Amino acid sequence: MNTLKDVDPEIYAAIHDEVKRQRTHIELIASENYCSNAVMQAQGSIMTNKYAEGYPDKRWYAGCGEIDIAEKLAVQRAKDIFGAEHVNVQPHSGSSSNMAVLFSSLSPGNKILSMDLSHGGHLTHGFKKNFSGQLYEKITYGVSEKTGYIDYDKVRKLAKESMPHMIIAGASAYPRELDFAEFKKIADEVGALLLADVAHIAGLIVAGLHQDPVPLADFVTTSTHKTLRGPRGGIIMCKSKYATKIDQQIFPGIQGGPLMHVIAAKAVAFKEAKTQEFKDAQVQTLKNTNKLCSELQSKDYTIVSGGTDNHLFLIDLSNKNISGTEAQVTLEKAGIILNRNMIPFDKRTANDPSGIRMGTPSVTTRGMKEPEMLKIADWIDLALKAHEDDSKLKTIKSEIVAFCATYPLYKDLTDFDD
Ligand code: PLP
């Protein structure tokens, strides 16, 4: 990175310090991961220079032969790992994937039945300040107050009452397995389209560790950078009958030139997702999440729904005399990164909710296993108990820095070793 250092020392310094931050902190944000060097090399490549509006063999610009190779590989590999009939790899993000699906199939004023944001849903599923909430009428389902699981009887009842045009199954903060087969039955009973948004759980699905919506749903969207461990971006999968309208909705509907360097990096990630190493990492993610969750539960932390089936869980801090925001700030001081989160039926606000969310994809990619989860649970507990004691938090942080050094991250980035 010497050229960057010379040309733009400020940006170089920010990247330098970010490498250091990632290396020295325990990363528990459930939607994050560490992509491979190979993914980063493709993403940092000269493919960023190329305009390629259109699709392989049907571009609006000359000189797209090599670009076409990359996009065809990305599409073929995505079809292969997900078993999808059609894949569009051009969406810039998970959000633009959802935007394209909604625009392709709904008219303003149509009804969407989706998960309540405060119960774990996503902004693009109908939040009032998001395009989805401004254009469509949203009806929300949620979890049962008693169990923390999605109440499918209630989903069916709401569907029958409201007769939505589309049902969205998917979430950003739901720790239990989604029953896509039940969603499909409900959608069929009311004649609704089904969109499965698997942004969080895509890696688990590819590894065969979560119910697979691809054979069932009309549309499946995902971001590519969470459990899937690729570059930041999105893809859309759909039945062949929707292929043309999805492709046209992405380009020219909502996007111009595709980010070809990112598409090349997606292709690399999809190749990696076929390996045994990737599958083993997904299995370990489930084991690690379970261990971290049960250990914190044994330390008297209240776990929403009583546990987890996937890569994340939520803690309700109501019995701990600390808010989600205070917990997030405290843990960052101690070297642990996670996010505050609303919990279902939260009595507090989104800005300062009662919960925190944590997941283990990143620490698993880093090579940590169950014994390390026990250590992390101890540090979380110690730090939260010491939230008013900065010197104690500093001590924990120094222990965590030493611990992180034993799980080296991006060893090849030697420029940043100082
Ligand atoms: N859908 C779900 C369920 C998500 O959790 C997210 C991101 O957190 C998205 C969509 C949006 O992805 P992106 O941040 O790439 O726009």
Side-chain angles (χ1 to χ4, degrees):
M1 290 234 177
N2 283 338
T3 313
L4 177 63
K5 195 174 182 177
D6 289 345
V7 171
D8 193 336
E10 289 127 304
I11 286 295
Y12 176 85
I15 295 173
H16 176 281
D17 292 352
E18 174 61 8
V19 172
K20 190 165 171 203
R21 189 195 67 79
Q22 291 193 17
R23 283 177 171 166
T24 54
H25 287 72
I26 292 172
E27 177 55 68
L28 294 178
I29 293 179
S31 49
E32 292 189 11
N33 211 329
Y34 304 113
C35 65
S36 70
N37 280 359
V39 166
M40 290 196 296
Q41 282 173 10
Q43 187 162 11
S45 75
I46 53 164
M47 286 211 170
T48 192
N49 294 334
K50 189 72 197 94
Y51 247 113
E53 283 178 356
Y55 290 97
D57 301 325
K58 290 171 284 182
R59 304 285 187 185
W60 290 87
Y61 290 83
C64 288
E66 288 68 30
I67 291 297
D68 280 2
I69 292 172
E71 185 161 344
K72 283 179 189 171
L73 280 171
V75 169
Q76 195 44 54
R77 289 173 183 169
K79 279 186 175 174
D80 188 26
I81 58 173
F82 284 102
E85 287 180 20
H86 178 74
V87 181
N88 187 307
V89 294
Q90 293 193 3
H92 299 333
S93 65
S95 296
S96 51
S97 306
N98 286 344
M99 179 183 266
V101 170
L102 268 51
F103 281 5
S104 77
S105 302
L106 303 178
S107 304
N110 280 178
K111 292 179 190 164
I112 322 174
L113 177 58
S114 62
M115 189 141 174
D116 195 289
L117 192 60
S118 67
H119 287 218
H122 187 257
L123 300 170
T124 53
H125 300 177
F127 178 58
K128 60 179 181 307
K129 288 188 180 161
N130 185 265
F131 79 91
S132 54
Q134 293 184 9
L135 286 177
Y136 310 112
E137 188 184 330
K138 176 177 136 161
I139 301 105
T140 55
Y141 62 84
V143 299
S144 138
E145 191 157 10
K146 224 161 101 198
T147 64
Y149 283 65
I150 290 174
D151 180 345
Y152 290 94
D153 290 339
K154 189 97 180 277
V155 179
R156 176 172 277 106
K157 189 167 172 279
L158 286 166
K160 290 196 165 153
E161 280 165 13
S162 61
M163 298 302 281
H165 295 84
M166 180 177 279
I167 297 178
I168 304 181
S172 302
Y174 182 60
R176 294 301 182 176
E177 180 153 20
L178 287 160
D179 189 346
F180 292 117
E182 195 58 27
F183 274 113
K184 170 69 177 158
K185 262 197 229 157
I186 297 170
D188 284 349
E189 282 165 27
V190 299
L193 291 165
L194 179 62
L195 162 60
D197 177 348
V198 302
H200 264 263
I201 53 175
L204 301 175
I205 290 171
V206 167
L209 301 170
H210 190 290
Q211 206 187 107
D212 179 5
V214 175
L216 304 169
D218 296 284
F219 308 98
V220 179
T221 54
T222 182
S223 49
T224 45
H225 45 272
K226 299 187 172 96
T227 48
L228 203 47
R229 223 165 65 182
R232 194 157 290 280
I235 62 172
I236 302 170
M237 295 165 258
C238 64
K239 302 281 176 238
S240 305
K241 64 180 173 181
Y242 302 121
T244 306
K245 77 173 184 178
I246 284 295
D247 288 353
Q248 287 180 351
Q249 192 59 64
I250 283 289
F251 174 82
I254 62 169
Q255 291 187 181
L259 307 176
M260 284 315 309
H261 53 308
V262 180
I263 290 173
K266 286 175 186 171
V268 176
F270 300 152
K271 181 169 186 179
E272 291 174 346
K274 270 201 88 146
T275 60
Q276 190 59 40
E277 187 275 326
F278 181 85
K279 179 156 193 209
D280 293 346
Q282 301 296 321
V283 171
Q284 190 62 45
T285 300
L286 292 185
K287 288 185 187 165
N288 284 350
T289 314
N290 219 293
K291 186 52 105 186
L292 184 58
C293 180
S294 55
E295 187 63 11
L296 285 166
Q297 201 163 28
S298 76
K299 294 179 190 297
D300 192 37
Y301 287 89
T302 307
I303 309 294
V304 172
S305 85
T308 170
D309 298 329
N310 58 25
H311 63 298
L312 66 80
F313 61 95
L314 292 166
I315 294 183
D316 173 356
L317 292 165
S318 308
N319 64 337
K320 292 289 178 189
N321 200 26
I322 186 170
S323 73
T325 306
E326 285 167 331
Q328 175 186 311
V329 171
T330 297
L331 290 169
E332 181 165 10
K333 284 187 193 165
I336 296 170
I337 304 294
L338 47 65
N339 64 287
R340 63 182 185 267
N341 220 98
M342 294 278 272
I343 52 162
F345 311 99
D346 209 326
K347 294 190 178 64
R348 301 177 64 98
T349 61
N351 272 335
D352 194 14
S354 302
I356 47 177
R357 181 186 71 161
M358 55 184 95
T360 67
S362 299
V363 289
T364 306
T365 298
R366 208 164 172 171
M368 296 178 195
K369 296 204 162 80
E370 288 95 322
E372 289 73 38
M373 297 307 113
L374 300 181
K375 284 191 183 168
I376 294 174
D378 279 346
W379 278 317
I380 290 172
D381 186 38
L382 280 175
L384 291 178
K385 283 180 177 148
H387 67 274
E388 283 166 343
D389 182 348
D390 275 358
S391 82
K392 180 88 192 171
L393 296 176
K394 225 167 143 187
T395 307
I396 297 171
K397 185 164 186 175
S398 61
E399 288 170 18
I400 286 180
V401 170
F403 167 78
C404 285
T406 62
Y407 294 89
L409 192 60
Y410 295 124
K411 274 188 278 190
D412 295 354
L413 300 186
T414 48
D415 282 10
F416 302 109
D417 279 351
D418 60 327

